[in-house]
Amino acid sequence: MPTSQEQLFATSYDSPARIISAILIAGSIVVFIATKSALVGAVELCVIGLVYLYSPQSYRVSGDSILIRRLVGTVRLPLDSIRELRAGAADDFRQCARLWGSGGVFGYFGLFKTVKLGECRWYMRNRTRSFLPKVYSIGGDSSRTCYGATIFE
C-alpha cells in the first residue's frame, strides 16, 4: 500500500500497442488452429506469456525513486540519478530501431535507439503520454542513459 509520499500511476496502451497485441494474439490462434499442434500452441502461449510478464503494469513515484512494476520484477530508477526529465514528444520516437525488446506487443519495452535520444531503455505502454528521464549510468561516469516510461494518464 502506498505511503503518503508515494503516488501510483496506472497506465493504458496506446492505439498501436492495442492493435499490434491483438494482431499477434489473433495470428497465434489462427496458426494454432491451422496446424492443430499442441506443441505450436504451447510455444505460442509461452512466448505471449513471457512478453506480457516483462511488460510494464504500473508506475509508482516514492520518496527516493520511480518504480516501474512488471509481473517479473520491479525496475527502480533512483530520483537522485535523474539529470533531466521531460515529457516525450512524437519527434523523440522517429527513426527508431528496436535493439532488444517489444516494439508494440503489450507496450514498448527493452533497448531502443533513436536518432534524437540515442540508446534508451523503454518501459512504456503509451508513447503519447510518456516522460523521458536521463540519468547518469550506475558506474558514475558522465555517459547518459535515457529511460522512457508512461506515467501521465
Side-chain angles (χ1 to χ4, degrees):
M1 177 169 225
T3 66
S4 61
Q5 293 182 346
E6 292 183 341
Q7 289 184 311
L8 179 65
F9 296 88
T11 185
S12 61
Y13 297 116
D14 61 8
S15 293
R18 285 187 194 123
I19 292 167
I20 292 168
S21 299
I23 289 170
L24 174 77
I25 292 169
S28 296
I29 292 169
V30 168
V31 169
F32 172 67
I33 291 170
T35 62
K36 298 178 185 175
S37 168
L39 178 62
V40 169
V43 169
E44 290 175 336
L45 187 61
C46 286
V47 169
I48 291 170
L50 189 62
V51 172
Y52 186 74
L53 287 173
Y54 278 93
S55 69
Q57 302 297 311
S58 65
Y59 307 88
R60 180 171 289 176
V61 179
S62 70
D64 65 347
S65 61
I66 297 171
L67 304 172
I68 303 164
R69 190 180 78 71
R70 303 177 302 171
L71 295 176
V72 295
T74 300
V75 176
R76 183 177 177 273
L77 182 58
L79 292 176
D80 61 0
S81 69
I82 296 174
R83 301 298 177 240
E84 176 186 333
L85 179 65
R86 65 178 177 80
D91 191 44
D92 293 322
F93 307 115
R94 293 194 204 299
Q95 297 179 337
C96 176
R98 181 183 63 235
L99 305 176
W100 179 90
S102 173
V105 178
F106 303 121
Y108 312 88
F109 51 94
L111 188 59
F112 293 80
K113 186 172 187 174
T114 71
V115 170
K116 187 171 181 179
L117 301 173
E119 198 169 287
C120 302
R121 292 199 183 275
W122 289 357
Y123 303 95
M124 293 187 275
R125 281 187 159 192
N126 190 327
R127 292 177 296 171
T128 60
R129 296 180 175 166
S130 62
F131 74 97
L132 301 170
K134 288 188 179 179
V135 301
Y136 284 106
S137 60
I138 294 171
D141 61 17
S142 61
S143 63
R144 296 188 306 174
T145 303
C146 178
Y147 288 79
T150 307
I151 202 163
F152 303 120
E153 283 297 318

